Amino acid sequence: MAALLDTGLGRAVVPKECEPPDDLAQRLSKALGIPVRVAHVQAAGPDDIPEAARTATEILRVTRACGLPPGLHRLEDVLLEFHLSRPDPSSHKIAALLDPVADRPELLETLRTHLAHQQDRRATATALGLHPNTVDNRLAKIGDQTGIELASPRGAALAIAALLLRDTQDTTAGGPSTRP
């Protein structure tokens, strides 16, 4: 068995028959002493490796933008979010929905964490080290300032898309995202 490791971006190309263990990211995190995200994408053949590498990079960007924890991620894990993050002519308008709170990073992080925790206010509060009422207050401010009804399915979808597209714009405009 042979493997090729790109140390610059941490990409590994391994034979198709080598399925990564589900705890690969945890093993790497333990060995390296830092949280690790791993994206698993199969390439049908050598000519498909560059596209698989781009897809893996995008999967990792989406997991960071959505506030998902480090670990092993596949496209199937973030399929909707991946799709929502693809730029099109309406992208700038969707991303701009969060402009009224763009100067409030604590509000954006609360929103990101709240969505990552399936809109569970207590889980969000625990993850952020806040009181649940503080989470409610921050979410209410976001709703008031953006007009997005976060409690509705459509509002949650708009918020997810806006976060993803903002992250895409930030990444393409000024370099890679700084989120872990």
Side-chain angles (χ1 to χ4, degrees):
M1 173 176 103
L4 172 66
L5 178 64
D6 170 1
T7 57
L9 294 173
R11 292 188 181 121
V13 178
V14 295
K16 186 176 180 178
E17 60 272 4
C18 294
E19 183 72 20
D22 288 337
D23 67 342
L24 175 62
Q26 289 82 4
R27 290 181 191 182
L28 291 171
S29 292
K30 184 176 180 183
L32 298 171
I34 59 170
V36 173
R37 293 174 192 275
V38 176
H40 175 248
V41 179
Q42 285 192 342
D47 291 343
D48 298 315
I49 291 173
E51 183 60 30
R54 283 190 290 276
T55 300
T57 299
E58 283 298 296
I59 290 168
L60 296 177
R61 184 189 62 76
V62 167
T63 62
R64 281 191 307 272
C66 290
L68 297 177
L72 177 64
H73 302 281
R74 293 174 173 84
L75 181 58
E76 293 77 13
D77 300 333
V78 292
L79 197 54
L80 176 63
E81 296 87 347
F82 189 91
H83 175 73
L84 290 174
S85 72
R86 305 297 87 195
D88 71 18
S90 68
S91 296
H92 70 282
K93 289 186 177 187
I94 294 173
L97 291 173
L98 295 176
D99 282 353
V101 295
D103 63 340
R104 302 281 308 272
E106 75 281 4
L107 295 181
L108 291 174
E109 192 59 28
T110 300
L111 176 60
R112 187 180 314 282
T113 305
H114 187 63
L115 294 169
H117 287 88
Q118 274 84 65
Q119 298 175 287
D120 180 329
R121 68 189 274 278
R122 292 192 185 281
T124 302
T126 299
L128 295 174
L130 301 171
H131 190 279
N133 290 346
T134 303
V135 170
D136 290 341
N137 291 336
R138 287 182 179 183
L139 294 173
K141 283 180 188 173
I142 294 167
D144 290 345
Q145 293 180 18
T146 65
I148 298 173
E149 188 180 327
L150 295 172
S152 75
R154 182 177 185 278
L158 275 173
I160 290 168
L163 284 169
L164 289 166
L165 291 167
R166 287 184 80 79
D167 188 66
T168 299
Q169 289 175 351
D170 291 347
T171 301
T172 57
S177 173
T178 58
R179 285 185 194 87

